[in-house]
Amino acid sequence: MNRIAHNAYVEIGAELGLPGLFVFLGILFFSYRTLGRVRVRAFRAKQPFIWQTALGLQAGLVGAAVAIFFVSGQYQKLLWLAIFLSMCMPEVLRLSLLAPSPSEEADVTVAGNRV
């Protein structure tokens, strides 16, 4: 008989011990904090898509953190995807701030004629 914990936190604590559980909780916390910082910076920089994406990922992390309290660790794949996306968001924001705005892109000359 295969025994599975019905709580992902208990399962992680049983498999990795308390240090592993604290590392997992730290990953969740710092992912949430990173997304919060990206969200604030994107709002100030008037980047609505990045702001909404960071907000959605934050909500997803909170929802997953609550949900895995009631399910085993077998259902954590999408949680890890959200965590890895949170690691990429600061760079996505940085690159979006470096990209030219749509009004600058429209101001292009082709063969000496302004388009």
Side-chain angles (χ1 to χ4, degrees), residues 9-26:
Y9 298 110
V10 170
E11 184 175 345
I12 291 168
E15 291 178 1
L16 303 175
L18 284 178
L21 179 61
F22 289 135
V23 168
F24 178 71
L25 292 173

Side-chain angles (χ1 to χ4, degrees), residues 80-100:
W80 286 107
L81 176 65
I83 289 169
F84 294 137
L85 286 174
S86 74
M87 293 177 195
C88 300
M89 289 299 291
E91 184 67 13
V92 170
L93 177 62
R94 187 184 74 77
L95 291 175
S96 71
L97 294 175
L98 294 176

